[in-house]
Amino acid sequence: MEYYGASIGKLIEALSALPGIGKKSAQRLAFHITAMPEEQAKGLADAIVEARTKVRFCSSCCTLTDGELCPICSSSKRNHRQIMVLENSRDLAAYEKTGRYDGVYHVLHGAISPMLGIGPNDIRLKELLLRLQDENGEAAADEIIIATNSTVEGESTAMYIVKLIRTLGLPVRITRIATGVPVGGDIENIDEVTLERALSGRTEL
Amino acid sequence: MEYYGASIGKLIEALSALPGIGKKSAQRLAFHITAMPEEQAKGLADAIVEARTKVRFCSSCCTLTDGELCPICSSSKRNHRQIMVLENSRDLAAYEKTGRYDGVYHVLHGAISPMLGIGPNDIRLKELLLRLQDENGEAAADEIIIATNSTVEGESTAMYIVKLIRTLGLPVRITRIATGVPVGGDIENIDEVTLERALSGRTEL
């Protein structure tokens, strides 16, 4: 990119390393940044450094947060005996947006995938098992809602977790979020596997 | 976004202020950044600050660059008597990619648009006129290629520039890039105005 100066070229390169940002968007963003008010550009740079250096895993649920505990785990308004297991923090944000869940979460940071070489020890599973028992060996939760994705990896992770929890022999209810036709979905356009699941998971009216 | 910590929320907000980046992409980028190697995150932040503080307009062609003159204006390999007039630096990058133009450029940073309240004084037109004459009042260029966009604003800016240069009475050739069917374009899907222009601009074979 010798037709810009070196610093624009460097910025374009750094931006295009981000996911979902190609050469062209990176170029558009870079030119936008050079035309930004100086404090806004500095603010963006500071936010990047701050997020990278301050953010770590919540010591309870493993989601990304600033302090020792995330806002949800430290809230007394949440039901700490109902734990929803998710693949990542973005899924947590999606569930929080519904505003209809008042339990807590556990973020695995991935799903088991032999294809990609991701085993049970590569995700935050151990941390989940540790949370399920208190120091006396009693169950520290009443319900585990498994909300991994409806993909091959998500499903097999779900099955693996169920098996693992059962071996602990704790009186914990284990549930899985429903698979079915999404709201607004056109039956004609939905794949057979989903339809079959929607049928087998039908509920009484 | 109280369900993340404050620093992720701040980063998401800063990122979603960028053009073409919505709340969801900003969130995806923010989580990606928190998981980046620390020096890469710092590198991105530094590139932003450096580009914002170092980059300015080339004193000759007004494109965005680091130093006093951009690499193109300071190159002795380019024909400095052929000037292509463009709306912005992204257009310059697009022409440079063709590798088939060896003249220099002039970047207007916009187009005249009465609708948006952008007048001739809001774009880098004065700088263009200054470049066309040397200190003795002689023409400092042989050809001006007007390559503003084929939009209403681009076309009226082109017409305005032609009139303005003619009033200087310089022996300068003024040309406009061709409008027509793009390579690979399907005639059946192309609008009538473009087709009409392609017809009236037809060339001898």
Side-chain angles (χ1 to χ4, degrees):
Chain A
M1 304 257 171
E2 52 183 67
Y3 35 92
Y4 322 118
S7 47
I8 295 189
K10 227 157 69 186
L11 179 56
I12 291 176
E13 210 174 289
L15 288 169
S16 55
L18 295 173
I21 296 190
K23 266 270 171 293
K24 258 211 169 128
S25 326
Q27 188 181 290
R28 191 161 42 91
L29 290 174
F31 283 127
H32 179 88
I33 287 168
T34 58
M36 264 184 180
E38 194 157 340
E39 75 242 53
Q40 197 190 341
K42 284 234 169 86
L44 174 59
D46 290 345
I48 289 171
V49 172
E50 194 184 313
R52 178 59 192 83
T53 48
K54 277 202 189 163
V55 171
R56 47 182 173 147
F57 295 133
C58 167
S59 62
S60 172
C61 76
C62 301
T63 192
L64 295 166
T65 190
D66 281 6
E68 177 67 22
L69 276 181
C70 74
I72 294 167
C73 285
S74 50
S75 162
S76 59
K77 289 194 189 124
R78 313 287 299 223
N79 175 1
H80 290 261
R81 295 188 67 86
Q82 189 178 37
I83 302 175
M84 186 188 285
V85 180
L86 295 162
E87 289 187 26
N88 57 53
S89 298
R90 295 190 298 280
D91 298 348
L92 185 157
Y95 262 102
E96 278 301 287
K97 264 176 213 142
T98 69
R100 299 300 291 271
Y101 178 68
D102 71 348
V104 295
Y105 297 94
H106 188 87
V107 179
L108 297 172
H109 292 284
I112 295 167
S113 167
M115 283 270 287
L116 297 171
I118 302 171
N121 291 326
D122 300 316
I123 60 177
R124 304 265 160 172
L125 245 178
K126 227 182 330 171
E127 288 84 347
L128 174 63
L129 297 183
L130 285 172
R131 285 177 77 180
L132 295 184
Q133 283 176 300
D134 60 18
E135 38 309 355
N136 308 320
E138 303 283 326
D142 299 325
E143 183 179 1
I144 308 290
I145 304 168
I146 302 181
T148 51
N149 288 337
S150 258
T151 55
V152 178
E153 291 80 16
E155 294 289 359
S156 46
T157 306
M159 309 252 265
Y160 187 87
I161 294 173
V162 174
K163 259 200 233 165
L164 215 60
I165 297 175
R166 294 244 188 276
T167 59
L168 294 176
L170 295 171
V172 176
R173 207 179 144 206
I174 309 177
T175 56
R176 174 93 174 104
I177 53 164
T179 311
V181 179
V183 177
D186 230 340
I187 296 215
E188 131 184 17
N189 299 322
I190 288 173
D191 65 291
E192 301 101 80
V193 186
T194 303
L195 288 182
E196 200 192 304
R197 297 268 191 95
L199 182 64
S200 68
R202 67 191 180 278
T203 54
E204 211 73 54
L205 291 180
Chain B
M1 305 258 170
E2 52 184 67
Y3 35 92
Y4 322 117
S7 48
I8 296 190
K10 227 158 68 184
L11 179 56
I12 292 175
E13 210 175 288
L15 288 169
S16 56
L18 295 174
I21 296 190
K23 266 270 170 292
K24 258 209 167 131
S25 326
Q27 189 181 288
R28 190 161 41 92
L29 290 174
F31 283 126
H32 178 88
I33 286 169
T34 59
M36 264 183 181
E38 193 156 342
E39 73 242 54
Q40 198 190 341
K42 284 235 169 82
L44 174 58
D46 290 345
I48 288 171
V49 172
E50 194 185 313
R52 178 58 193 82
T53 48
K54 276 203 189 161
V55 170
R56 47 180 173 149
F57 295 132
C58 167
S59 62
S60 172
C61 76
C62 301
T63 193
L64 295 165
T65 190
D66 280 7
E68 176 69 20
L69 276 181
C70 75
I72 294 167
C73 284
S74 50
S75 162
S76 59
K77 287 194 190 125
R78 312 288 299 222
N79 175 2
H80 290 261
R81 296 187 66 84
Q82 189 178 35
I83 303 175
M84 185 187 285
V85 180
L86 295 163
E87 289 187 25
N88 57 53
S89 299
R90 296 191 297 280
D91 298 349
L92 184 157
Y95 261 103
E96 278 301 286
K97 264 176 212 143
T98 68
R100 299 300 291 270
Y101 178 66
D102 71 347
V104 294
Y105 297 94
H106 188 86
V107 179
L108 295 172
H109 292 285
I112 297 168
S113 166
M115 284 268 288
L116 297 171
I118 302 172
N121 292 325
D122 300 317
I123 60 176
R124 303 266 160 172
L125 245 179
K126 226 182 330 169
E127 288 85 347
L128 174 63
L129 297 183
L130 285 171
R131 285 178 77 181
L132 296 183
Q133 283 176 300
D134 60 17
E135 40 303 0
N136 308 318
E138 302 283 325
D142 299 324
E143 184 179 0
I144 309 292
I145 304 169
I146 301 181
T148 51
N149 288 337
S150 259
T151 55
V152 177
E153 291 80 17
E155 293 289 359
S156 47
T157 307
M159 309 254 266
Y160 187 87
I161 294 173
V162 173
K163 259 200 231 166
L164 214 60
I165 297 176
R166 293 245 187 276
T167 59
L168 295 177
L170 294 170
V172 176
R173 204 177 146 206
I174 308 176
T175 56
R176 175 92 175 102
I177 53 163
T179 311
V181 179
V183 177
D186 230 337
I187 296 217
E188 126 183 23
N189 299 323
I190 289 173
D191 65 292
E192 302 102 79
V193 186
T194 303
L195 288 182
E196 199 192 304
R197 296 267 191 96
L199 182 64
S200 67
R202 66 193 180 279
T203 53
E204 211 73 52
L205 291 179

